[in-house]
Amino acid sequence: CSFLPPLCEKHLDSEILAGLAIAIIMDGSQTFLIEIQALCLSGSTGSRQVHGIQLKRADMIISVLIKQAGLPLQEHAVFFNFVSGLALAETAGDLAIAAAICSCCLEIPILNDIAFIGEIDLGGELRMVPRMEKRVYTVTKLGFRMCIVPKVAEKALGTEGFEKMEVVGCRNLKDIINTVFPNLMRRSQ
C-alpha cells in the first residue's frame, strides 16, 4: 500500500484543515490514500475548477450536495484538487470529495484520522465499490481512527480485523454530515 501524507498534520482543531479529506483509491492491486483539497468561495456563482477527476463527475457530486444535502453551493465557486496530482479513474473517491466540499462550505475541519470510501448516486445514497475489504484493511493498518463507508459495506465487512478502527456505515450524504460534523447544530445556535 502507499500513503501520500496530508499537507497539514498539525493543528487539528484549526480552521486550516477545513476542506481536506482522505480518500482510499486503487490502481490495479495497489491501494493509495490521497488527500483531497476543496475550496468554496461565496459570491462567485457557477465557477468550477477541478483537477484529478472528470468535470462531469465533479458537477454531479456538487449537484447532489445541493439537492440532497441542502448545501448552498450554487452560490459558491468550487475548486478541488488531489494532492500529488493523481487522476481519479474510479468512483471510490466520491465520499471524500463530498466530505472535503462540505468541510470547506461549512468551515468545519475534518480530523486527519478519518478516511472515506464509496460512491455517491444521484439520490445522495452511498454505494459500495470493489475490493472494499482491502481498502478498509489498508486504512486500519495505517492507524486511522475511523473509516466512513456505505451502510451496506459496514454490514458486509463486520468487525473481523478492524478492532482498532471504527468502521461507520452511512446511508446517504445527510448521514455523513451528521457523523463527520456532529457539532454542526450546536455551532449554528
Side-chain angles (χ1 to χ4, degrees), residues 73-139:
L73 295 171
Q74 64 275 20
E75 302 166 9
H76 291 74
V78 179
F79 304 87
F80 62 87
N81 183 42
F82 291 84
V83 173
S84 78
L86 288 176
L88 190 60
E90 63 172 347
T91 57
D94 287 2
L95 295 187
I97 292 167
I101 292 169
C102 287
S103 172
C104 188
C105 184
L106 300 170
E107 297 181 10
I108 302 173
I110 298 171
L111 296 177
N112 66 357
D113 60 354
I114 299 174
F116 299 86
I117 307 169
E119 179 180 340
I120 298 171
D121 72 13
L122 291 175
E125 301 294 315
L126 309 183
R127 297 184 179 258
M128 290 243 320
V129 294
R131 299 169 76 183
M132 187 66 81
E133 188 170 332
K134 179 173 178 152
R135 295 171 199 259
V136 175
Y137 176 74
T138 299
V139 173

